[in-house]
Amino acid sequence: MNIFFGKIKKERKDQVAKLIYESDEGWDGFGGLNEGDYVFLLCDGKVHLWKAMNYDSALKARTFECVLESIGKQSFFFSHIKYFKLTMDLVVKSHRQTHQAFFKIDYEPEFTEEMLCNRDTYKADSGLFRRVFIRNSKATVEQNSYDVQLFFDEGNLKLAELKNSDGSFTDGFKDNLSYAGKGREKKDQTIAFVLDKTNQEKPFAYNSKLNASKIYDAFMVDYNAKEEAPVEDDELDFDELIVDNEAFDSQVNLLKYKQNVVLQGAPGTGKTYATAALALSIVSPTFKNFDNHQKVMAEYEKCLMKIDEDGYVSNDGQIAFVTFHQSMDYEDFVEGIKPICDEESDGETKISYQIQSGIFKAICHKAKTQESSNFESAYAELVKKLQEDGYVGYEKYLILDSGNEKSKSKFGISLNKKGNLTLWTGTKEDDLHHQGTLTRENMVRELSGETVFQSWKGYFQGVVKYLKKEYKLSSSKKTENKNYVLIIDEINRGNVSKIFGELISLLEADKRDGAEHPLKVTLPYSKEQFSVPSNLYIIGTMNTTDRSVGSIDYAVRRRFAFVTLKANEDAVDSYYNGNKNLGEIAKAKFNDVKNFLESPDVVAPDVDFDDLMVGHSYFMAKTEDELKMKWEYEVLPLLREYKKDGLLRRSASLKEFDDFNYHFQKKVVGKTPAEESR
């Protein structure tokens, strides 16, 4: 018998009535759930016991049979059943939003199927649930007990070990009693309850006042008191607010299918965060903390590529970021001829020209490279030697053997200002002439088996041969083909057709390298054969209110899937959980803007409401002063700009928002503008 717990968002509670969970059949969010498994299903604060049935392809949903309806009311119901192993995962995942929807529960064999399916089992006096005790000394703690026991030992509050627990729940317990009253409202409520009930040898069943999740929040997380913050930081984070798990899974599946996606929406709808989360879903398949904003952004930073001005990727990053603008063109994005300035031995500046890769060509080459090597460390040793021995600039060069075994010819290399190798060729070793530049990027490509310049192949091979001999350069086939993501911010601010040029035809999934109908083109400057790899994904962002730039043409549009991110009132509501007064003000502002834009004869006829509705992030603030500043200096100017740009009808009046602004000042600050000026 397998037991799971699962969650359905209250906005989709119609699925509870239908006894289904809508999702793709192979979706990993099912967590291994199979036909015949039992599920404690949480929706809209109620707990039901279901049994998994078959997957219905027509409905695109897993079907269930209802065994028991409404057997509990709280999400922390699961963490207090004593036969379920109490772990930190069980506590956190049962009352926080998560990317995964179903989780398997470890349980003791004493919990039989007959007990599971009997409604009487879940009565408060059945003995099923762990109780909570607050003991006045260590001596009164009951050993080997299922119950949660807080106790005092030499004046310090501690948590006793529990039966049927992996230890993760008791590890890291902190005595935060001394922080009482220092600014964390919910923590303070739990601490006050503990202090009030101290020395009362009375157990508490799981309840809203004291339970495993309350103990976790109050005593297992740093208090981090800040007088100006009335609620906990983790409740004011975007982590559990903006990520709609079902919508996110749909976006991930769409990106995997189409490979090119544009996230579009009004300002403040979460496009930046969504691109980071989507990118991680592609490049880091083992990453699961999509409901934690800080962890997502930290992992995203670790995965970013470092690309130098020569188009060389100097780290193992898998995500590249670029912002389109009106001055960007093909030469910046794909490849172009760039001037190189070097100082001659006589002090004069020598200008030469070389082909440099843009970010798109660089990430494509990185994605196609199937070799892993110690090139970076070996090349660093070569650079060190060239610097120490004076082979820098145009004064002298290091003689190497060509990689062509038949010719036995010699050539020279020296180090230029950018860390690449200046190539010297000729018939006499003591009178070689400057020929061009051997870049690190092209050496890596030659090392992986590509031919960059056929006529220079011997020179590249000569450097590689020297690195192998002197600095133990080695390479091997990659064990796995990594995925890569290119994020194009503000994609509509550039001339997309001009920037991509002929490569626009290669973006389609079936035209990629190794796909069903692969295409290659000859690049105009390097003359090399070029294709887009199948393990590269492109995510663009687009501000739907920006009419100062041209729209994306049909040729580009049909190669991308477009996803609209909308302003989410539920995100605003969840953000202020525990700070209702400020939350009511913020929601009032959100709804006033919404009602205004939905009013007849306000929005221009060629504009959709979702293109203009100010995003939820504009209404999220930790203090009243911050919310006031966002309204006055971000929201109102944006609405005025809408009207100026013709997105609102000329007849649309913003005067009521001036009144609303005054009302905001009166409600939050408590003074009229005239009173404030005194």
mmCIF file of all heavy atoms in Angstrom, residues 550-566:
data_model
loop_
_atom_site.group_PDB
_atom_site.id
_atom_site.type_symbol
_atom_site.label_atom_id
_atom_site.label_comp_id
_atom_site.label_asym_id
_atom_site.label_seq_id
_atom_site.Cartn_x
_atom_site.Cartn_y
_atom_site.Cartn_z
ATOM 1 N N GLY A 550 8.737 48.811 -33.138
ATOM 2 C CA GLY A 550 7.921 48.068 -34.083
ATOM 3 C C GLY A 550 7.497 46.719 -33.539
ATOM 4 O O GLY A 550 8.114 46.160 -32.647
ATOM 5 N N SER A 551 6.422 46.188 -34.102
ATOM 6 C CA SER A 551 5.943 44.879 -33.691
ATOM 7 C C SER A 551 6.755 43.792 -34.389
ATOM 8 O O SER A 551 7.450 44.043 -35.371
ATOM 9 C CB SER A 551 4.459 44.732 -34.034
ATOM 10 O OG SER A 551 4.269 44.900 -35.428
ATOM 11 N N ILE A 552 6.663 42.578 -33.872
ATOM 12 C CA ILE A 552 7.390 41.446 -34.448
ATOM 13 C C ILE A 552 6.644 40.951 -35.682
ATOM 14 O O ILE A 552 5.433 40.726 -35.637
ATOM 15 C CB ILE A 552 7.531 40.329 -33.401
ATOM 16 C CG1 ILE A 552 8.416 40.812 -32.248
ATOM 17 C CG2 ILE A 552 8.113 39.079 -34.014
ATOM 18 C CD1 ILE A 552 8.596 39.799 -31.145
ATOM 19 N N ASP A 553 7.373 40.763 -36.795
ATOM 20 C CA ASP A 553 6.697 40.378 -38.037
ATOM 21 C C ASP A 553 6.288 38.908 -38.007
ATOM 22 O O ASP A 553 6.698 38.137 -37.141
ATOM 23 C CB ASP A 553 7.560 40.705 -39.258
ATOM 24 C CG ASP A 553 8.867 39.920 -39.291
ATOM 25 O OD1 ASP A 553 8.864 38.736 -38.896
ATOM 26 O OD2 ASP A 553 9.894 40.485 -39.710
ATOM 27 N N TYR A 554 5.487 38.499 -38.982
ATOM 28 C CA TYR A 554 4.914 37.158 -38.995
ATOM 29 C C TYR A 554 5.977 36.077 -39.148
ATOM 30 O O TYR A 554 5.852 34.985 -38.587
ATOM 31 C CB TYR A 554 3.878 37.038 -40.113
ATOM 32 C CG TYR A 554 2.608 37.805 -39.834
ATOM 33 C CD1 TYR A 554 2.242 38.890 -40.620
ATOM 34 C CD2 TYR A 554 1.782 37.442 -38.780
ATOM 35 C CE1 TYR A 554 1.075 39.602 -40.363
ATOM 36 C CE2 TYR A 554 0.616 38.142 -38.513
ATOM 37 C CZ TYR A 554 0.267 39.225 -39.304
ATOM 38 O OH TYR A 554 -0.873 39.923 -39.038
ATOM 39 N N ALA A 555 7.018 36.340 -39.929
ATOM 40 C CA ALA A 555 8.061 35.336 -40.147
ATOM 41 C C ALA A 555 8.743 34.970 -38.832
ATOM 42 O O ALA A 555 9.068 33.807 -38.581
ATOM 43 C CB ALA A 555 9.090 35.855 -41.150
ATOM 44 N N VAL A 556 8.954 35.984 -37.990
ATOM 45 C CA VAL A 556 9.557 35.737 -36.682
ATOM 46 C C VAL A 556 8.522 35.135 -35.739
ATOM 47 O O VAL A 556 8.788 34.171 -35.020
ATOM 48 C CB VAL A 556 10.124 37.046 -36.093
ATOM 49 C CG1 VAL A 556 10.663 36.807 -34.687
ATOM 50 C CG2 VAL A 556 11.210 37.605 -36.995
ATOM 51 N N ARG A 557 7.317 35.694 -35.756
ATOM 52 C CA ARG A 557 6.281 35.295 -34.805
ATOM 53 C C ARG A 557 5.938 33.815 -34.916
ATOM 54 O O ARG A 557 5.710 33.145 -33.908
ATOM 55 C CB ARG A 557 5.033 36.158 -35.021
ATOM 56 C CG ARG A 557 3.923 35.918 -34.020
ATOM 57 C CD ARG A 557 2.824 36.937 -34.186
ATOM 58 N NE ARG A 557 3.233 38.240 -33.682
ATOM 59 C CZ ARG A 557 3.123 38.608 -32.409
ATOM 60 N NH1 ARG A 557 2.632 37.754 -31.518
ATOM 61 N NH2 ARG A 557 3.494 39.802 -32.021
ATOM 62 N N ARG A 558 5.898 33.276 -36.129
ATOM 63 C CA ARG A 558 5.487 31.874 -36.266
ATOM 64 C C ARG A 558 6.558 30.902 -35.782
ATOM 65 O O ARG A 558 6.293 29.714 -35.635
ATOM 66 C CB ARG A 558 5.103 31.573 -37.712
ATOM 67 C CG ARG A 558 6.239 31.478 -38.706
ATOM 68 C CD ARG A 558 5.689 31.197 -40.097
ATOM 69 N NE ARG A 558 6.732 31.016 -41.092
ATOM 70 C CZ ARG A 558 7.338 29.858 -41.320
ATOM 71 N NH1 ARG A 558 7.022 28.797 -40.601
ATOM 72 N NH2 ARG A 558 8.265 29.757 -42.252
ATOM 73 N N ARG A 559 7.757 31.406 -35.526
ATOM 74 C CA ARG A 559 8.818 30.539 -35.015
ATOM 75 C C ARG A 559 8.913 30.565 -33.490
ATOM 76 O O ARG A 559 9.731 29.870 -32.913
ATOM 77 C CB ARG A 559 10.152 30.932 -35.651
ATOM 78 C CG ARG A 559 10.209 30.567 -37.134
ATOM 79 C CD ARG A 559 11.436 31.107 -37.836
ATOM 80 N NE ARG A 559 11.576 30.514 -39.168
ATOM 81 C CZ ARG A 559 11.008 30.983 -40.272
ATOM 82 N NH1 ARG A 559 10.247 32.078 -40.200
ATOM 83 N NH2 ARG A 559 11.178 30.380 -41.430
ATOM 84 N N PHE A 560 8.097 31.406 -32.862
ATOM 85 C CA PHE A 560 8.047 31.488 -31.404
ATOM 86 C C PHE A 560 6.632 31.187 -30.918
ATOM 87 O O PHE A 560 5.652 31.470 -31.609
ATOM 88 C CB PHE A 560 8.438 32.892 -30.923
ATOM 89 C CG PHE A 560 9.911 33.185 -30.993
ATOM 90 C CD1 PHE A 560 10.496 33.581 -32.190
ATOM 91 C CD2 PHE A 560 10.713 33.072 -29.869
ATOM 92 C CE1 PHE A 560 11.849 33.863 -32.266
ATOM 93 C CE2 PHE A 560 12.064 33.351 -29.931
ATOM 94 C CZ PHE A 560 12.635 33.747 -31.129
ATOM 95 N N ALA A 561 6.541 30.624 -29.719
ATOM 96 C CA ALA A 561 5.256 30.525 -29.023
ATOM 97 C C ALA A 561 5.176 31.698 -28.051
ATOM 98 O O ALA A 561 6.175 32.062 -27.426
ATOM 99 C CB ALA A 561 5.160 29.204 -28.269
ATOM 100 N N PHE A 562 3.998 32.296 -27.934
ATOM 101 C CA PHE A 562 3.830 33.478 -27.093
ATOM 102 C C PHE A 562 2.958 33.142 -25.890
ATOM 103 O O PHE A 562 1.856 32.607 -26.035
ATOM 104 C CB PHE A 562 3.218 34.626 -27.897
ATOM 105 C CG PHE A 562 4.182 35.254 -28.865
ATOM 106 C CD1 PHE A 562 4.504 34.613 -30.054
ATOM 107 C CD2 PHE A 562 4.788 36.464 -28.582
ATOM 108 C CE1 PHE A 562 5.401 35.166 -30.951
ATOM 109 C CE2 PHE A 562 5.691 37.032 -29.461
ATOM 110 C CZ PHE A 562 6.001 36.384 -30.652
ATOM 111 N N VAL A 563 3.470 33.457 -24.705
ATOM 112 C CA VAL A 563 2.754 33.208 -23.453
ATOM 113 C C VAL A 563 2.525 34.546 -22.763
ATOM 114 O O VAL A 563 3.472 35.307 -22.550
ATOM 115 C CB VAL A 563 3.559 32.281 -22.520
ATOM 116 C CG1 VAL A 563 2.830 32.092 -21.195
ATOM 117 C CG2 VAL A 563 3.813 30.937 -23.190
ATOM 118 N N THR A 564 1.270 34.835 -22.426
ATOM 119 C CA THR A 564 0.949 36.096 -21.758
ATOM 120 C C THR A 564 0.926 35.896 -20.247
ATOM 121 O O THR A 564 0.204 35.039 -19.734
ATOM 122 C CB THR A 564 -0.422 36.625 -22.223
ATOM 123 O OG1 THR A 564 -0.383 36.854 -23.633
ATOM 124 C CG2 THR A 564 -0.756 37.935 -21.522
ATOM 125 N N LEU A 565 1.736 36.669 -19.542
ATOM 126 C CA LEU A 565 1.726 36.675 -18.081
ATOM 127 C C LEU A 565 0.816 37.809 -17.621
ATOM 128 O O LEU A 565 0.988 38.955 -18.038
ATOM 129 C CB LEU A 565 3.140 36.871 -17.528
ATOM 130 C CG LEU A 565 4.178 35.819 -17.941
ATOM 131 C CD1 LEU A 565 5.494 36.082 -17.230
ATOM 132 C CD2 LEU A 565 3.690 34.415 -17.638
ATOM 133 N N LYS A 566 -0.142 37.482 -16.770
ATOM 134 C CA LYS A 566 -1.160 38.451 -16.377
ATOM 135 C C LYS A 566 -0.958 38.922 -14.940
ATOM 136 O O LYS A 566 -0.359 38.228 -14.122
ATOM 137 C CB LYS A 566 -2.554 37.823 -16.511
ATOM 138 C CG LYS A 566 -2.882 37.339 -17.920
ATOM 139 C CD LYS A 566 -4.249 36.681 -17.976
ATOM 140 C CE LYS A 566 -4.559 36.169 -19.382
ATOM 141 N NZ LYS A 566 -5.896 35.532 -19.440
#
